[in-house]
């Protein structure tokens, strides 16, 4: 998969040192997603059991043992994952994962 953009993930942990514990789990997710070839939401669910599949290609991943949530939009036809949000549960509760 092509992932847009790693810089979003880096900004998350670089802008606030308290999120440094997200670096390794996030990079692990990133490396796994780069190698993936998801063509359906079921394939994503097959790779990540705790993923939440939303409408319209939106997917929510649990990062670092469910400490952080990563929202992406996947264009399955073109093999592109667009990172839309990464944050804590509290930050996630303040967004609309379907529209962010």
């Amino acid at each position: 998969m092509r992932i847009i953009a790693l810089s979003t993930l880096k900004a998350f942990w670089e802008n606030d040192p308290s999120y440094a514990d997200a670096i390794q789990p996030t990079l692990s997710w990133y490396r796994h997603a780069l190698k993936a070839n998801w063509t359906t939401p079921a394939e994503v669910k097959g790779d990540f059991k705790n993923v939440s599949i939303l409408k319209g290609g939106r997917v929510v991943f649990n990062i670092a043992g469910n400490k952080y949530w990563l929202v992406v939009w996947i264009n399955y036809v073109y093999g592109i994952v667009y990172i839309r949000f990464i944050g804590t549960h509290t930050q996630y509760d303040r967004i609309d994962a379907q529209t962010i």
Side-chain angles (χ1 to χ4, degrees), residues 16-35:
D16 189 334
S18 68
Y19 301 142
D21 63 335
I23 295 172
Q24 289 309 314
T26 305
L27 288 176
S28 177
W29 171 87
Y30 180 81
R31 286 189 289 271
H32 184 94
L34 274 178
K35 294 177 187 173

Side-chain angles (χ1 to χ4, degrees), residues 16 26 32 46-47 49 59 77 80 84-85 88:
D16 189 334
T26 305
H32 184 94
D47 274 355
K49 303 296 181 217
V59 180
V77 174
I80 302 173
R84 306 302 301 148
F85 168 86
T88 64

Side-chain angles (χ1 to χ4, degrees), residues 37-98:
N37 186 25
W38 301 316
T39 58
T40 66
E43 290 177 356
V44 178
K45 189 79 166 170
D47 274 355
F48 294 92
K49 303 296 181 217
N50 294 327
V51 73
S52 297
I53 305 294
L54 306 178
K55 297 178 198 170
R58 297 293 176 132
V59 180
V60 181
F61 293 90
N62 299 319
I63 304 293
N66 209 25
K67 186 172 182 181
Y68 303 105
W69 286 12
L70 172 66
V71 179
V72 303
W73 175 69
I74 302 177
N75 184 319
Y76 295 99
V77 174
Y78 292 101
I80 302 173
V81 176
Y82 297 91
I83 296 172
R84 306 302 301 148
F85 168 86
I86 184 169
T88 64
H89 273 273
T90 303
Q91 293 164 335
Y92 177 84
D93 288 342
R94 289 186 235 141
I95 66 158
D96 179 357
Q98 287 293 150

